Amino acid sequence: MDRQTYQKIYGSLHNFGDVFRLSEEYSKPAGMLATILNQKIVKMTRFKHRRIYFREKELFMRWKQGRSILELAEYTFFPPTLMASLILKNCDFSRKSINWLFKHLDCIENRRLRKEVRKALDADYFFSPRAHEMQCKKGEMGEEIIRKWLDDREIPYCTEAEIRAKGDGKTPDFVLSTPICIEDRMVSWIESKALFGDDFEHKHYSKKQFREYANIFGEGMVVYWYGFLEDLSSEDEGYLIKDYSFFEGYQEQTDELFNYLVYW
């Protein structure tokens, strides 16, 4: 995606209600815009997190006075799941027990608290346990398409899990037994990312993973399933950048991936 279009879309995405309208306006897949929105919300929450927790006593007092968790989330523009976590923390629940209770809501003894936490998790498309599970599932679906693509071409490889089982350290999702030629580059590894490759995500993973993979395994390929900014720099980094369009023969699988997180 060209940067100008991305900036217009990014600036217009505020909630899931914007996804389908902008998808039609810019002729972009809804799943792509849902992913961009998710990354935007996560990024904004990182910057806001400390300010909200600085006010936790005030917010907890408002809750005790009758404001619901969802109302406090809307009041502070803070994700409902994280607001629920803040309230539970001030009810003297530990972080470990909060994570457990989010998956076992019926174990929350206080009726009001149980009802409000349930509503908060149901309303949260980005930070709830269900949202996290769906994000993990998207990652698995992307890896499965690459696995099928390699198998159909009888290209031998080792997966990340297989390499880690041998005791090796940091590794990409697929390490090819023999390099393959893609666009005049001899690709030895493939990393799958169920993300949109924007500046923030790319810089983070390039520093954390991609450059190290290139140093260890040689040239590789990064797949940003939901697209990427067309001017992202990678030529001197030791890897190609591709998206869903590279896997033309797997339309059914990529359609399933794109639609997976759009419908709650």
Side-chain angles (χ1 to χ4, degrees), residues 80-98:
T81 298
L82 301 187
M83 183 58 69
S85 179
L86 183 149
I87 297 300
L88 286 166
K89 173 177 176 285
N90 281 271
C91 290
D92 295 325
F93 289 96
S94 68
R95 180 186 294 273
K96 184 177 180 180
S97 63
I98 291 171

Side-chain angles (χ1 to χ4, degrees), residues 14 25 75 86 117 154 169 211 259 262:
H14 304 291
E25 181 178 342
Y75 167 66
L86 183 149
V117 170
E154 298 183 346
R211 292 173 188 167
N259 289 321
V262 178

Side-chain angles (χ1 to χ4, degrees), residues 208-227:
K208 183 180 177 183
Q209 296 179 339
F210 306 155
R211 292 173 188 167
E212 188 167 345
Y213 296 162
N215 289 334
I216 296 172
F217 301 102
E219 291 192 314
M221 182 169 76
V222 173
V223 181
Y224 284 119
W225 282 105
Y226 293 90

Side-chain angles (χ1 to χ4, degrees), residues 57-210:
K57 299 302 180 185
E58 170 210 334
L59 294 168
F60 182 60
M61 183 60 65
R62 287 175 181 267
W63 178 77
K64 289 178 69 175
Q65 292 170 348
R67 297 288 291 274
S68 72
I69 291 174
L70 270 181
E71 287 174 336
L72 291 173
E74 292 171 0
Y75 167 66
T76 55
F77 299 100
F78 201 57
T81 298
L82 301 187
M83 183 58 69
S85 179
L86 183 149
I87 297 300
L88 286 166
K89 173 177 176 285
N90 281 271
C91 290
D92 295 325
F93 289 96
S94 68
R95 180 186 294 273
K96 184 177 180 180
S97 63
I98 291 171
N99 291 335
W100 186 86
L101 286 170
F102 279 168
K103 298 178 182 179
H104 304 85
L105 295 176
D106 290 338
C107 293
I108 300 176
E109 295 181 5
N110 183 291
R111 184 177 179 182
R112 177 198 170 191
L113 193 56
R114 180 172 65 248
K115 181 179 178 181
E116 290 189 12
V117 170
R118 190 185 302 278
K119 285 186 175 181
L121 300 192
D122 286 345
D124 196 335
Y125 294 88
F126 308 105
F127 288 90
S128 66
R130 185 181 179 190
H132 177 70
E133 289 171 7
M134 294 178 79
Q135 183 64 33
C136 291
K137 178 63 176 177
K138 286 182 4 179
E140 293 170 4
M141 292 167 73
E143 290 177 24
E144 183 57 34
I145 297 172
I146 295 174
R147 184 178 291 107
K148 183 170 176 53
W149 184 83
L150 292 170
D151 289 344
D152 289 347
R153 287 156 182 77
E154 298 183 346
I155 299 170
Y157 58 87
C158 288
T159 65
E160 178 183 10
E162 291 168 341
I163 295 173
R164 286 187 181 277
K166 298 176 183 178
D168 292 341
K170 193 176 292 186
T171 177
D173 294 316
F174 300 90
V175 176
L176 311 185
S177 301
T178 304
I180 59 174
C181 186
I182 301 176
E183 296 182 2
D184 298 323
R185 307 279 288 271
M186 297 307 294
V187 170
S188 296
W189 55 271
I190 302 175
E191 176 72 8
S192 177
K193 293 296 182 191
L195 302 168
F196 181 88
D198 60 19
D199 292 318
F200 183 86
E201 299 293 345
H202 186 64
K203 182 178 180 180
H204 171 73
Y205 284 108
S206 180
K207 181 179 180 180
K208 183 180 177 183
Q209 296 179 339
F210 306 155

Side-chain angles (χ1 to χ4, degrees), residues 35-79:
T35 300
I36 293 173
L37 173 62
N38 181 77
Q39 292 171 203
K40 178 179 181 177
I41 296 296
V42 171
K43 190 187 305 179
M44 291 172 62
T45 301
R46 282 196 187 111
F47 291 121
K48 189 181 294 185
H49 194 274
R50 182 176 295 179
R51 294 203 306 270
I52 295 298
Y53 271 77
F54 184 76
R55 299 173 57 194
E56 64 177 302
K57 299 302 180 185
E58 170 210 334
L59 294 168
F60 182 60
M61 183 60 65
R62 287 175 181 267
W63 178 77
K64 289 178 69 175
Q65 292 170 348
R67 297 288 291 274
S68 72
I69 291 174
L70 270 181
E71 287 174 336
L72 291 173
E74 292 171 0
Y75 167 66
T76 55
F77 299 100
F78 201 57

Side-chain angles (χ1 to χ4, degrees), residues 29-32 225-226 244 254-262:
M32 177 186 290
W225 282 105
Y226 293 90
Y244 68 97
T254 55
D255 283 348
E256 183 182 4
L257 175 59
F258 263 70
N259 289 321
Y260 188 72
L261 192 56
V262 178

